[in-house]
Amino acid sequence: MTDLARAPSDKTSWRTGHADRVLPVLVVLLVIVGIWYLAAIGMNAEWVRDQAARADEDLTSGEFLRRTLILDRPVLPAPHQVASGLWDGIFGQKITSKRSLIYHGWITLSATLAGFAIGSLAGVVLAVGIVHNRAMDQSVMPWAVASQTVPILAIAPMVIVVFASAGITGLLPKAIIAAWLSFFPVLVGMVKGLRTPDAMQLDLMRSWNASDRQVFWRLRLPSSLPFLFASLKVAVAAALVGTIVGELPAGASAGLGARLLSGSYYGQTIQIWAALLAAATLAAILVALIGMIQKATLEHMGLAR
Amino acid sequence: MQGAEHPAQPVIQAQGVSLTFQTADGPIHALKDVDLTINQGDFVSFIGPSGCGKTTFLRTIAALENATGGRISVNGQSPDQARRSRAYGYVFQAPGLYPWRSIAGNISLPLEIMGFDKADRRQRIERVLELVDLAGFGGKYPWQLSGGMQQRASIARALAFDADILLMDEPFGALDEIVRDKLNEALLDLWRKTGKTIGFVTHSIPEAVYLSTRIVVMSPRPGRITKIIESPLPRNRPLDIRDSAEFIALAHEVREGLREGHGDD
């Protein structure tokens, strides 16, 4: 009986799988861009028509279409306008400039990461408490659920105001709001994860007279990691949303949220969309980063499925 | 380690053991008035249909369940004291190896929990891997081994901390017959080498007859012992003993016992 049941899977399947994954994404992207152009033409048409009527111009249909896509303050900016806004915001400005998306992105990112760290830690600690303590098991979860039913848009300004009255502004209040949103998925995922070991695994531990602490470190925690990573992905995106919401009230002067707000004050739709796309890209990068850590960790642990 | 030459030393003693589970549909008598003595070096099989309490009885010995009536002692202690002093190794139907630990790491797990130092752990892992014929596989991960090898690794894990009692709950139930035969042979070999006392739950008549010095036949509703059969087979048993007249007669006796237990259904 020296047969090795399975050889490590070869890497060739990964390569074809990669192309298989990229193609659908590209197709969907193309479709979205196409729809976006059509929508931009449709939504900006009225303004172009009005302007032309006022100037008594008679536009050819080609000229008409061109104008719907180059407005300064379009109802819906065309993709290439947003792209150039993004390009300008990222590469066209000094990163210390208030017009730089890198500058605002960093402000948002730092608060997001701080809030994510606080929230994830709180979620893990609460989950450990719930799994090991009967009283916490019965009392914490309803409050955790209740905390998430409160509209964050209502809570955020109050958090900002309360902290500001104590002289604390900047990163921390925003991080608290981010943590408020991000602890919950981690809590739910970790409670589930810490409870995955089945009765047999726990019986084995019992037969060895293992302490709760030993069961936790050697069985529950490693078993929970797939669940932890899945919820960390949700949590980091939620933290970004929380941070941006925290940047909206009280006329914050920096951060992607502030950029969104000032864009809407001045009707700078291109600026709004560029900031939105920057935020979405940031979220995608953060989620992808956690995905990479997840993949490496779980593969190393033999838990990858 | 020939138990017969010494006066029989009782290791596990059960007197009038009962276990009743209270459920929404009323009480379930998983065990009722079970009397049994298992001596040092015995290989005792528990056989019976599902619900006869064979697994429950094994779990009660291991203090994974608590008897609601009667007395049970393991090494002269209560089952829970015995569990705390790590008197037994338990093997389940599934290997239950941690995918994130190598085979050696898995065997090391109970040793770490029990506080054996590193050098001692390494030595013990080597020794038990050899005992279950897995020498050289310590660095492999569970997914790299076949089901039979994984189950042998889980037996090695149960042996690593030198408990005198080995409790096995249908350890080969999920394996195919060819692998099962090999493991049965290997288990007998291991039992002869180590002189352990083994409690073994199965629902295979040939397995029970081939392995045991005593066969405990149980029946359900309420879970109880209906017959205890002493095996006349020698301790040294090649696989082909299963074609002998003695073996076939014994298997017949067990089958009769199981049928009697069903008589009052």
Side-chain angles (χ1 to χ4, degrees), chain A residues 42 241 248 298:
Chain A
V241 171
L248 290 177
L298 297 189

Side-chain angles (χ1 to χ4, degrees), chain B residues 85-152:
Chain B
S85 58
R86 284 130 180 181
Y88 64 84
Y90 205 103
V91 179
F92 289 87
Q93 179 167 3
L97 302 170
Y98 291 2
W100 59 88
R101 281 179 177 244
S102 66
I103 296 303
N106 269 287
I107 296 170
S108 173
L109 180 67
L111 302 176
E112 289 164 26
I113 287 170
M114 297 175 189
F116 290 87
D117 68 50
K118 201 170 177 184
D120 196 8
R121 289 205 301 261
R122 191 172 307 148
Q123 215 170 3
R124 283 165 181 271
I125 292 165
E126 284 295 307
R127 200 191 66 215
V128 291
L129 277 175
E130 211 142 294
L131 263 179
V132 298
D133 200 20
L134 279 181
F137 284 90
K140 296 274 184 248
Y141 280 81
W143 62 270
Q144 294 175 297
L145 304 191
S146 67
M149 294 167 92
Q150 288 185 26
Q151 193 55 294
R152 277 189 284 160

Side-chain angles (χ1 to χ4, degrees), chain A residues 14-305:
Chain A
W14 179 83
R15 227 168 265 245
T16 54
H18 206 57
D20 282 353
R21 261 184 293 162
V22 170
L23 195 66
V25 171
L26 277 180
V27 170
V28 170
L29 187 68
L30 274 176
V31 170
I32 290 176
V33 168
I35 293 174
W36 190 345
Y37 267 111
L38 291 176
I41 293 167
M43 293 171 82
N44 299 331
E46 196 182 332
W47 175 261
V48 174
R49 211 176 290 127
D50 282 357
Q51 291 297 99
R54 246 177 247 180
D56 255 345
E57 281 180 289
D58 211 7
L59 297 175
T60 63
S61 53
E63 177 62 13
F64 181 79
L65 281 185
R66 199 183 67 84
R67 288 200 186 178
T68 59
L69 300 178
I70 56 162
L71 293 175
D72 258 355
R73 294 175 180 186
V75 177
L76 179 65
H80 69 268
Q81 290 179 293
V82 176
S84 85
L86 256 181
W87 182 269
D88 181 58
I90 293 172
F91 302 105
Q93 311 286 337
K94 270 202 277 191
I95 59 166
T96 49
S97 158
K98 292 245 166 185
R99 304 171 71 93
S100 166
L101 279 173
I102 302 278
Y103 166 78
H104 292 289
W106 167 248
I107 303 266
T108 300
L109 178 65
S110 53
T112 299
L113 290 180
F116 173 63
I118 299 169
S120 305
L121 194 69
V124 170
V125 168
L126 283 175
V128 171
I130 285 177
V131 169
H132 287 88
N133 183 302
R134 243 187 103 71
M136 278 186 78
D137 185 17
Q138 287 167 345
S139 60
V140 172
M141 208 43 122
W143 290 105
V145 173
S147 78
Q148 301 303 299
T149 61
V150 178
I152 193 67
L153 269 171
I155 283 284
M158 295 203 284
V159 173
I160 302 289
V161 167
V162 166
F163 272 88
S165 74
I168 302 167
T169 56
L171 184 140
L172 189 64
K174 291 190 282 178
I176 297 294
I177 297 165
W180 181 291
L181 285 188
S182 60
F183 90 93
F184 187 68
V186 176
L187 172 64
V188 174
M190 272 309 268
V191 168
K192 173 91 179 131
L194 291 172
R195 287 190 169 145
T196 36
D198 57 20
M200 190 197 82
Q201 298 279 20
L202 293 171
D203 278 346
L204 263 177
M205 280 292 185
R206 193 172 148 76
S207 81
W208 301 327
N209 196 24
S211 66
D212 279 354
R213 183 182 290 253
Q214 288 169 325
V215 174
F216 177 79
W217 286 108
R218 290 187 163 76
L219 175 59
R220 287 194 193 273
L221 190 66
S223 313
S224 73
L225 286 185
F227 294 84
L228 175 64
F229 280 115
S231 37
L232 284 182
K233 285 187 193 169
V234 180
V236 79
L240 184 71
V241 171
T243 304
I244 288 176
V245 169
E247 286 167 347
L248 290 177
S253 56
L256 291 174
R259 197 77 184 139
L260 286 172
L261 194 70
S262 72
S264 75
Y265 278 161
Y266 302 112
Q268 298 285 355
T269 44
I270 296 176
Q271 179 186 329
I272 297 177
W273 280 89
L276 267 181
L277 271 180
T281 311
L282 196 56
I285 291 171
L286 289 174
V287 171
L289 265 177
I290 293 178
M292 281 160 63
I293 299 171
Q294 171 184 34
K295 193 160 179 268
T297 310
L298 297 189
E299 254 169 29
H300 177 73
M301 290 178 65
L303 286 174
R305 302 244 189 275

Side-chain angles (χ1 to χ4, degrees), chain B residues 24-38:
Chain B
D25 301 331
I28 291 177
H29 301 284
L31 291 173
K32 194 157 199 290
D33 291 331
V34 173
D35 295 310
L36 185 73
T37 300
I38 298 177

Side-chain angles (χ1 to χ4, degrees), chain A residues 207, chain B residues 1 9-12 38-44 61 74-77 82-83 85-90 114 116 124 127 157-168 190-199 235:
Chain A
S207 81
Chain B
M1 282 290 179
Q9 275 258 301
V11 175
I12 297 163
I38 298 177
N39 292 325
Q40 169 84 51
D42 274 358
F43 195 129
V44 178
I61 296 171
V74 177
N75 285 342
Q77 299 171 303
R83 177 182 68 84
S85 58
R86 284 130 180 181
Y88 64 84
Y90 205 103
M114 297 175 189
F116 290 87
R124 283 165 181 271
R127 200 191 66 215
R157 184 180 55 189
L159 293 171
F161 46 95
D162 277 336
D164 289 330
I165 303 169
L166 195 55
L167 301 175
M168 308 177 87
L190 189 149
W191 170 63
R192 275 193 306 271
K193 273 190 214 153
T194 58
K196 303 240 183 249
T197 308
I198 299 183
R235 286 193 161 229

